[in-house]
Amino acid sequence: MKELDKLTSTELSAWVQQAKTQAERGQIASRIPQLALANPNWFAVHICCKSGKTISFGDTGCLFPLMSVIKTFSLLYLLEHLGAETVFGWVGVEPSHAPFNSLEQLVSDRGRPRNPMINSGAITLADKLPGKNASERTLLFCEWLNQLAGCQLYLDEAMLTSVRLTRSKANEAIANYLAEIGHLENLETALDTYEQICCLSARVEDLALLGKLLAFENSCISAQNRRIVNAVMSTCGLYEASAEFAVRIGLPMKSGIGGGLVAIVPGKGAIACYSPALDTVGNPVAGLVFIEALSQNLGLSIFG
């Protein structure tokens, strides 16, 4: 098995080119006008290795909203602040076989969100973030991550305006149902918080720095919470395609419709990609092709 930090620029370049040719199979998320402005050919990767070495390639100056990638870190934040028993009193850890914004599944599960990586789970947890209103919650959460990871997340106001103007009917329906059965303390605050944290934006390097929190032992995060988050990412991080990619890639991963993708190689490194063209499930096409090439050629799968 080859170590991540022994990766050559020739190998990296070949796998990036291979990934970029596959991006044509994807589509930019168009429901949010501001997201639709992205160039489908953009591709960036940043890898943080255990040795301290970093490897960057591609359009690394691009800024993008984390969107659903942030769900990983709101779960981590609440586990650290409130503990696993409390958090998993609100949401489950079961994989979902329905799309990430499915109301039907939530209703059939009697209002208990399957996991924190789908919208019903993330909206439920957004309702529980510390802070008296959505803006304060987002600010406290953003500051916590920046301080801990040494990254530079910021709230993209233009993206947030665009999200608010085209508020997802599916998310409204989910939040209404959760509120009806008493699972949300404040429907509007929960939705507003959810939309704001999804608009926390960054460069690919910042996403890799966030990934480092989950890749390596550190004094800031409990080892147990790190393991929990990595496990939930492995089984739920790519929505209903999670099981397929657990077999093909074998790494804890989380995607977002903004084109972000983070993969954790426990004890070895964190890999972040940005590629805005998505497959039909909502996962970035080129990012997954690239990480699959990396995982298979370097033998990175956590399953040995």
Side-chain angles (χ1 to χ4, degrees):
M1 174 179 163
K2 184 169 178 172
E3 290 301 322
L4 262 181
D5 60 1
K6 299 288 189 289
L7 207 54
T8 68
S9 52
T10 313
E11 289 169 324
L12 199 62
S13 175
W15 296 334
V16 167
Q17 288 319 116
Q18 181 189 337
K20 285 181 80 166
T21 60
Q22 296 298 311
E24 295 154 13
R25 294 188 288 121
Q27 298 267 309
I28 299 282
S30 57
R31 189 186 62 76
I32 300 164
Q34 194 74 12
L35 272 186
L37 301 176
N39 179 336
N41 297 317
W42 282 336
F43 185 90
V45 58
H46 189 95
I47 303 171
C48 292
C49 308
K50 188 167 191 189
S51 62
K53 181 178 175 180
T54 60
I55 300 164
S56 267
F57 200 92
D59 305 299
T60 52
C62 288
L63 289 158
F64 57 94
L66 294 186
M67 291 289 159
S68 284
V69 180
I70 203 66
K71 295 170 180 174
T72 304
F73 301 99
S74 56
L75 171 61
L76 181 66
Y77 181 60
L78 286 173
L79 287 170
E80 285 288 307
H81 284 79
L82 303 173
E85 198 176 328
T86 300
V87 172
F88 295 122
W90 296 318
V91 296
V93 292
E94 280 181 60
S96 165
H97 308 296
F100 57 79
N101 58 0
S102 170
L103 175 64
E104 291 75 16
Q105 187 176 66
L106 183 64
V107 174
S108 72
D109 291 340
R110 297 195 175 93
R112 179 172 167 80
R114 284 270 168 117
N115 65 67
M117 304 293 166
I118 53 176
N119 294 12
S120 57
I123 291 166
T124 299
L125 294 188
D127 185 58
K128 319 299 182 203
L129 293 187
K132 61 178 184 289
N133 56 39
S135 296
E136 187 183 308
R137 289 172 182 196
T138 304
L139 181 66
L140 288 171
F141 177 42
C142 185
E143 284 176 347
W144 185 79
L145 287 172
N146 283 342
Q147 191 178 349
L148 230 55
C151 57
Q152 296 179 314
L153 304 186
Y154 70 99
L155 180 61
D156 183 336
E157 298 284 357
M159 188 63 68
L160 181 59
T161 300
S162 193
V163 166
R164 284 173 169 165
L165 285 172
T166 55
R167 175 172 273 184
S168 158
K169 295 282 177 263
N171 287 346
E172 279 189 329
I174 285 167
N176 280 321
Y177 183 72
L178 288 166
E180 267 169 40
I181 57 174
H183 284 202
L184 297 184
E185 284 171 41
N186 186 314
L187 185 153
E188 194 43 53
T189 304
L191 263 182
D192 192 10
T193 304
Y194 175 71
E195 289 174 346
Q196 287 198 42
I197 65 174
C198 284
C199 291
L200 289 175
S201 296
R203 290 184 171 84
V204 71
E205 177 186 356
D206 300 300
L207 181 51
L209 288 170
L210 284 174
K212 268 178 78 176
L213 292 175
L214 297 167
F216 309 123
E217 280 186 28
N218 54 67
S219 53
C220 322
I221 302 287
S222 98
Q224 186 197 5
N225 289 338
R226 220 178 58 243
R227 280 194 296 272
I228 289 171
V229 174
N230 281 330
V232 175
M233 286 170 83
S234 298
T235 55
C236 309
L238 300 176
Y239 313 120
E240 64 268 43
S242 300
E244 179 194 340
F245 286 105
V247 172
R248 282 168 51 180
I249 296 175
L251 295 173
M253 290 186 282
K254 184 71 194 90
S255 62
I257 63 163
L261 180 69
V262 64
I264 310 303
V265 191
K268 295 192 168 64
I271 306 158
C273 294
Y274 168 59
S275 57
L278 310 175
D279 63 20
T280 53
V281 173
N283 293 318
V285 176
L288 282 171
V289 171
F290 174 78
I291 291 176
E292 185 170 352
L294 206 62
S295 177
Q296 294 195 350
N297 284 287
L298 303 186
L300 299 179
S301 172
I302 59 172
F303 304 111

